[in-house]
């Protein structure tokens, strides 16, 4: 990602502005939760690891910052303002792995890892019921297809 540390936030319903407005207090590491736009979201293992990596990078890069926004950069570390929408989304431009593709991949991986449970998917990713059922159905089909394949 062009020298930047990636932070993947479960963002099926959130826009860049809502993510840019995240504050350090919105992250509850002990309870594995993140609050985005007043909605509490559980953190999956990958997102938690990436957030912890980001916090370590942030602490090492800007140890004296007073900025309480979760996502900061060289321009905002000496201020209290948030990073720009452009800065947050620019890291993904021109990449094969777009935010949309990463989001879809994370949702399918979650369904394959934890079972095709639409309620679980809806909770973790903030999906509406029809979308959660569609992902669960896709995961079921993939699991069924894999079960039918002979071992090599």
């Amino acid at each position: 990602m062009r020298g930047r540390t990636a932070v993947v936030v479960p963002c099926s319903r959130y826009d860049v502005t809502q993510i840019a407005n995240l504050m350090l207090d919105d992250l509850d590491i002990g309870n594995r939760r993140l609050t985005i736009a007043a909605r509490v979201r559980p953190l999956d293992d990958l997102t938690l690891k990436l957030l912890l990596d980001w916090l370590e990078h942030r602490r090492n890069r800007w140890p004296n910052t007073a900025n309480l926004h979760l996502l900061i950069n060289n321009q905002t570390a000496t201020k209290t303002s948030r990073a720009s929408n452009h800065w947050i989304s620019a890291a993904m431009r021109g990449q094969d792995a777009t935010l949309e593709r990463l989001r879809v991949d994370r949702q399918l991986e979650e369904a394959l890892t934890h079972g095709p449970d639409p309620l679980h998917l809806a909770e973790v990713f903030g999906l509406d019921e029809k979308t959660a059922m569609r992902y669960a159905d896709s995961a079921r089909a993939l699991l069924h297809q894999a079960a039918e394949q002979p071992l090599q």
Side-chain angles (χ1 to χ4, degrees), residues 31-92:
N31 292 312
R32 297 177 62 125
R33 295 187 303 215
L34 179 66
T35 303
I36 305 174
R39 182 176 166 115
V40 178
R41 318 281 313 148
L43 293 172
D44 62 86
D45 292 338
L46 175 63
T47 305
L48 179 63
K49 182 188 180 327
L50 290 171
L51 284 166
L52 290 171
D53 289 349
W54 168 252
L55 290 172
E56 182 179 349
H57 170 76
R58 184 185 191 279
R59 191 171 33 255
N60 291 333
R61 179 79 186 248
W62 304 286
N64 299 318
T65 186
N67 194 324
L68 298 178
H69 286 89
L70 178 62
L71 301 178
I72 60 173
N73 57 31
N74 287 334
Q75 288 73 40
T76 62
T78 58
K79 304 172 187 176
T80 57
S81 58
R82 68 177 186 82
S84 71
N85 291 4
H86 175 76
W87 180 82
I88 292 170
S89 60
M92 297 306 289

Side-chain angles (χ1 to χ4, degrees), residues 104-145:
V104 169
D105 182 67
R106 289 293 306 125
Q107 290 169 348
L108 186 56
E109 177 67 22
E110 188 74 15
L112 291 171
T113 302
H114 293 281
D117 177 4
L119 291 175
H120 176 77
L121 294 173
E123 177 64 25
V124 171
F125 295 105
L127 301 173
D128 65 48
E129 59 191 47
K130 289 180 182 176
T131 302
M133 288 188 289
R134 197 170 68 242
Y135 276 103
D137 288 343
S138 295
R140 263 188 224 98
L142 286 172
L143 289 169
H144 181 72
Q145 182 181 9

Side-chain angles (χ1 to χ4, degrees), residues 2-13:
R2 301 183 188 135
R4 295 185 185 157
T5 302
V7 176
V8 178
V9 177
C11 59
S12 59
R13 291 187 176 183

